[in-house]
Amino acid sequence: MTTDTTPAAAAAAATALAGQEEDARGPAAPEAVGVFPAAAAARASARPAAPASAAAVRDSAPPAPTSTGQGPTPPSTKVPTLPEAPAQAKAPAPAPALAKAPALAPALAPAPAKAPAPARQPARALVRWLRAAALRSAAVLALLAVWETAPRLGLVDATFLPPVSQVAVAWWELLGNGQLGTHASASLVRSFGGFGIAVAVAVPLGLLIGWYRPLAALLGPLLEVFRNTAALALLPVFVLLLGIGETSKVSIVVYACVWPILLNTISAVGNADPTLVRLARSMDLSTLRLFQKVILPSSVPAVFTGIRLAGAVSILVLVAAEMIGAKAGLGYLINASQFNFAIPQMYAGIVTISAIGVAFNQLLVAVERRLSVWRVPA
């Protein structure tokens, strides 16, 4: 029986393999089936049914005989197994959930800088202010040091240039006996009076001349003649016409202060931004509103430059006028001290004039900053 069964099983396996190859090649072409339908049907009926799989064929085939001498092993009665269904593809594992951004944000964000202690802020501001003040006053302190040491070392004659310490003593004496206050108040009244009149006259006149070109062309040559005439050169004329009283002194201050303010104001109006002027005109602004919103704000820096120059000129011209004909004032104090050979008192008057000029200039700078808050700092 062994010799009869084994070839049959082998034939069945070969037939099954041939059927699998044909299944792999696929069904017959539609054209061939349509042309030879009878042959295709006969071939399909003659084909034996293929086993489920090659694994089932191997399980159904009997084992080969062994050489133990006990005779052939009976064929296996194992039932062919059905082909295993292909395992379903595993779904990709879900990606791990990302950490929430808000939870990581506090860990990744840099730690905020600690605010300085409130007690340290005033101290730092005071240190910065002292440093700036020392830088600004370094040159003045150096001048005072040279002034003090030069007469004491014999570099200059102490009779004509006493040390600054002696000048300070003389200044304190003049302040104590009231002479310095009397002379300073007389000079300030004349200087500030003439300066105020010059500002009130020159600023509106400069705006008018700078705005109306025909008027500027008419008055231009006359202004050039008078601005090039020194105020002190006209002092005798003022004395002859107005006398040696207060009127001539105030008038000479007004004349000296008008020109810096007037010329700077004319230049400021002429140099106003034409784009802003055209934009204001396109908005149907009146002339008054145009001056208020465009011309005046843009003219403030140049106008105040002229005003600051006029402030310095008012004190200098007044001192010169008081030296010629006056009975009180810082100019009179300086001239009288020179005649009396009171050299420390003379220098005390000069130092007082310098201090008034510096204080007046700083006041004008503060007013300019107040009126120019719209400007962007450089």
Side-chain angles (χ1 to χ4, degrees):
M1 180 179 289
T2 304
T3 56
D4 295 335
T5 307
T6 303
T15 304
L17 290 175
Q20 289 182 357
E21 291 178 359
E22 290 184 5
D23 291 341
R25 284 195 299 268
E31 292 80 359
V33 175
V35 176
F36 306 102
R43 187 165 53 248
S45 61
R47 184 188 311 167
S53 65
V57 173
R58 286 194 300 270
D59 293 339
S60 63
T66 60
S67 56
T68 57
Q70 296 178 2
T73 305
S76 175
T77 58
K78 185 177 181 180
V79 180
T81 59
L82 296 176
E84 297 179 359
Q88 295 182 354
K90 294 183 179 181
L98 297 177
K100 294 183 179 180
L104 293 178
L108 298 177
K114 294 183 178 180
R120 295 181 180 179
Q121 293 181 356
R124 291 181 180 179
L126 180 61
V127 170
R128 288 195 299 267
W129 182 84
L130 291 176
R131 186 181 303 172
L135 182 62
R136 288 194 300 266
S137 59
V140 178
L141 295 176
L143 175 62
L144 294 178
V146 171
W147 188 358
E148 179 67 26
T149 57
R152 296 188 182 279
L153 295 177
L155 300 178
V156 294
D157 191 352
T159 304
F160 302 107
L161 184 62
V164 68
S165 57
Q166 296 183 11
V167 175
V169 171
W171 185 88
W172 187 257
E173 291 179 355
L174 290 174
L175 182 63
N177 57 27
Q179 295 184 28
L180 185 62
T182 302
H183 295 298
S185 61
S187 296
L188 290 177
V189 168
R190 297 164 185 162
S191 177
F192 288 167
F195 174 78
I197 295 173
V199 171
V201 172
V203 171
L205 185 60
L207 293 174
L208 187 64
I209 296 174
W211 183 251
Y212 293 102
R213 299 299 176 86
L215 186 60
L218 176 64
L219 298 179
L222 185 63
L223 296 178
E224 290 294 328
V225 170
F226 280 102
R227 82 178 186 91
N228 288 289
T229 304
L232 294 179
L234 296 176
L235 182 58
V237 177
F238 281 96
V239 172
L240 289 175
L241 295 178
L242 302 175
I244 60 173
E246 299 295 323
T247 306
S248 61
K249 299 176 180 60
V250 174
S251 299
I252 195 66
V253 171
V254 171
Y255 178 84
C257 293
V258 160
W259 304 113
I261 303 174
L262 180 63
L263 297 177
N264 279 273
T265 304
I266 294 173
S267 176
V269 175
N271 294 330
D273 192 353
T275 303
L276 296 178
V277 174
R278 288 195 298 268
L279 181 61
R281 289 186 184 279
S282 66
M283 298 174 65
D284 295 333
L285 291 181
S286 62
T287 304
L288 181 60
R289 297 288 292 176
L290 179 63
F291 265 89
Q292 180 183 0
K293 297 298 183 180
V294 179
I295 301 301
L296 287 180
S298 63
S299 303
V300 166
V303 171
F304 263 90
T305 300
I307 290 175
R308 290 170 60 185
L309 292 174
V313 169
S314 66
I315 297 176
L316 299 178
V317 172
L318 177 63
V319 169
E322 289 175 345
M323 287 181 179
I324 295 177
K327 295 182 178 179
L330 293 175
Y332 171 78
L333 174 62
I334 294 172
N335 198 29
S337 299
Q338 177 192 4
F339 284 131
N340 296 329
F341 208 72
I343 304 302
Q345 285 79 3
M346 181 187 71
Y347 282 104
I350 296 173
V351 170
T352 303
I353 292 174
S354 300
I356 291 174
V358 171
F360 191 29
N361 182 73
Q362 293 299 319
L363 176 63
L364 294 177
V365 169
V367 175
E368 179 183 2
R369 290 176 180 174
R370 181 65 181 84
L371 296 178
S372 302
V373 293
W374 54 268
R375 296 178 63 186
V376 178

